[in-house]
Amino acid sequence: MTITLDNGRLRLVVNPLVGGSVVRFDRLTEHGPEPLMRPGDDTERDPNRLALYPLVPWSNRIGGGGFTWQGRHYPLEANLPGEPLPIHGDGWQQAWQVEEQSDTLLKLGLRSSHQPPFDYRAELTYRLADDTLEVALAVTHLGEPPVPYGLGLHPWFPRSADVRLEATAEGVWEVDADQLPTGWRRLEATESWNFSRGKRLPSDRIDNLFTGWNGRAELSWPERGVTLEVRADTSRYLVFSPGAQADFFCFEPVSHDVDAHRFTDSPSQGLTSEGTGLVTLGEGERCTMRCRIRCLVGS
C-alpha cells in the first residue's frame, strides 16, 4: 500500500507498511517526474532499497551485544541480515499507521515496546510545501524508568561522478572494521572529507559521523542543474557510500553519536547521554527532530 502526495511541483510516494519509508521523491517537470532521491519500487519490502526511512529510537549501530543503563544490561540482537550489530532501532522495520492524510500531508504513528528498554510511541510527518519536503519525527517514552533516545533520517540519493556535497563540520569519527567509532579528530581545511566549501564525494568507502554541523547542507548535481538544500535541527550528520562505483550515497541528519548508548552509563568515559547527543526521556516526555529538503533548480 503506497500513498502519494502531490502539490503540483513535487511528488512523494510513501509506504507506511514498510517502515514508513519514502518510495520515491520527485520534482515534476514538463518532461515527467525527475527523481530527487534514489527511486524505489512500490512493491519493494526492503527499506534499504527505497528512498528514505526514519531512524527511531536510535541511529546507526550499537556494539557489545547491547548496553548498560542505570545498572542494568539490555541485550540487543542484530536486526539486519549480514550485519552483525543492531542498527537503526526498530521503527524502520515495522508497519506504521496512517493517522492523517491530505493531498500534501501525511501523518503516521507507531507504537513499539518489543525491544527493552525502549517503550515508545513515534510520530512521522511528511509535508509538501512549494519546493520543499518537510519531515518531522518525534518519539514519546511510555515506560516507567527513564531511557536514552535518539532520532535520525536515512535518505538515499543518486550518486553521479559530479555530485557535490557542501556541509560544515568541526570533526569526524574514525571507525573500525565493524563501523564502530574509535576516535574523534578535527577536520583539516584541505582534506578530502572536509565538505565545508563543497566537494565531490571520496572515491573510497565512507561511512562516518561528522560533528559540529550548522544544520545546513547542499547536495548538487551540476550536470542536471539541480541542488537540494537540506536543513535540520541536528548538529551531526553521517555520510555513507561504498565508493565511486556505487549508484547512491546517503547524507543522514542524526541527533547523536554512533554507539552512544554504550557510553551513557559509564562515568569513567567522562560522558553523559547529553554529551553524546542522546536525550534521556522520562515517562510521557518527548523529543523531536525536523528536516526540510528544498529543491533548487538552476543552482
Side-chain angles (χ1 to χ4, degrees):
M1 177 194 76
T2 61
I3 295 173
T4 299
L5 306 184
D6 190 324
N7 71 350
R9 300 178 67 175
L10 302 173
R11 181 178 295 160
L12 189 79
V13 180
V14 179
N15 193 334
L17 300 181
V18 183
S21 301
V22 172
V23 177
R24 52 184 303 145
F25 175 42
D26 303 322
R27 77 179 184 103
L28 303 179
T29 76
E30 60 183 2
H31 305 294
E34 178 184 0
L36 297 175
M37 292 178 179
R38 182 194 62 179
D41 187 271
D42 286 359
T43 61
E44 180 60 61
R45 307 298 295 180
D46 181 1
N48 280 314
R49 299 182 66 85
L50 296 177
L52 177 149
Y53 56 79
L55 306 178
V56 58
W58 81 81
S59 159
N60 213 271
R61 295 166 178 83
I62 296 178
F67 67 98
T68 299
W69 173 245
Q70 295 187 342
R72 179 178 174 181
H73 183 73
Y74 293 95
L76 295 172
E77 295 183 358
N79 56 332
L80 182 65
E83 169 62 60
L85 303 176
I87 187 168
H88 297 329
D90 63 359
W92 66 290
Q93 293 182 314
Q94 298 197 65
W96 293 61
Q97 304 299 312
V98 177
E99 298 188 342
E100 185 178 342
Q101 180 183 349
S102 71
D103 290 343
T104 59
L105 175 73
L106 179 63
K107 291 185 177 182
L108 305 176
L110 173 67
R111 177 75 174 91
S112 179
S113 60
H114 70 274
Q115 195 177 55
F118 304 103
D119 183 356
Y120 69 90
R121 170 177 166 73
E123 302 162 34
L124 175 62
T125 302
Y126 297 111
R127 180 173 178 262
L128 298 180
D130 297 324
D131 56 2
T132 301
L133 166 62
E134 300 175 354
V135 186
L137 180 60
V139 62
T140 301
H141 180 54
L142 302 178
E144 188 173 332
V147 171
Y149 282 83
L151 298 172
L153 295 176
H154 199 310
W156 303 73
F157 297 100
R159 176 165 181 168
S160 65
D162 293 327
V163 68
R164 298 178 69 85
L165 169 63
E166 180 179 331
T168 61
E170 293 179 0
V172 63
W173 282 92
E174 299 285 2
V175 296
D176 61 18
D178 292 325
Q179 293 303 131
L180 294 176
T182 57
W184 182 91
R185 65 175 177 83
R186 188 171 298 278
L187 284 167
E188 299 296 332
T190 58
E191 68 175 279
S192 62
W193 281 12
N194 190 329
F195 301 106
S196 297
R197 295 185 180 273
K199 192 165 292 187
R200 289 186 176 92
L201 296 171
S203 58
D204 297 330
R205 178 184 176 89
I206 184 171
D207 192 357
N208 297 76
L209 181 83
F210 294 77
T211 65
W213 183 36
N214 66 3
R216 182 185 182 277
E218 285 192 358
L219 289 61
S220 301
W221 292 262
E223 71 279 14
R224 294 165 54 196
V226 172
T227 294
L228 294 181
E229 180 191 57
V230 179
R231 291 185 178 269
D233 55 3
T234 69
S235 61
R236 297 164 172 83
Y237 64 83
L238 194 140
V239 179
F240 166 56
S241 187
Q245 78 285 356
D247 62 357
F248 72 87
F249 73 100
C250 300
F251 178 83
E252 308 164 38
V254 297
S255 68
H256 63 89
D257 295 342
V258 176
D259 204 20
H261 287 81
R262 288 206 295 155
F263 299 100
T264 60
D265 206 32
S266 304
S268 62
Q269 298 289 338
L271 296 172
T272 65
S273 59
E274 289 72 21
T276 63
L278 292 171
V279 177
T280 301
L281 299 180
E283 185 176 6
E285 292 183 328
R286 184 173 186 261
C287 66
T288 64
M289 75 164 287
R290 295 181 180 275
C291 180
R292 294 167 52 90
I293 302 174
R294 182 185 179 199
C295 178
L296 307 175
V297 181
S299 299

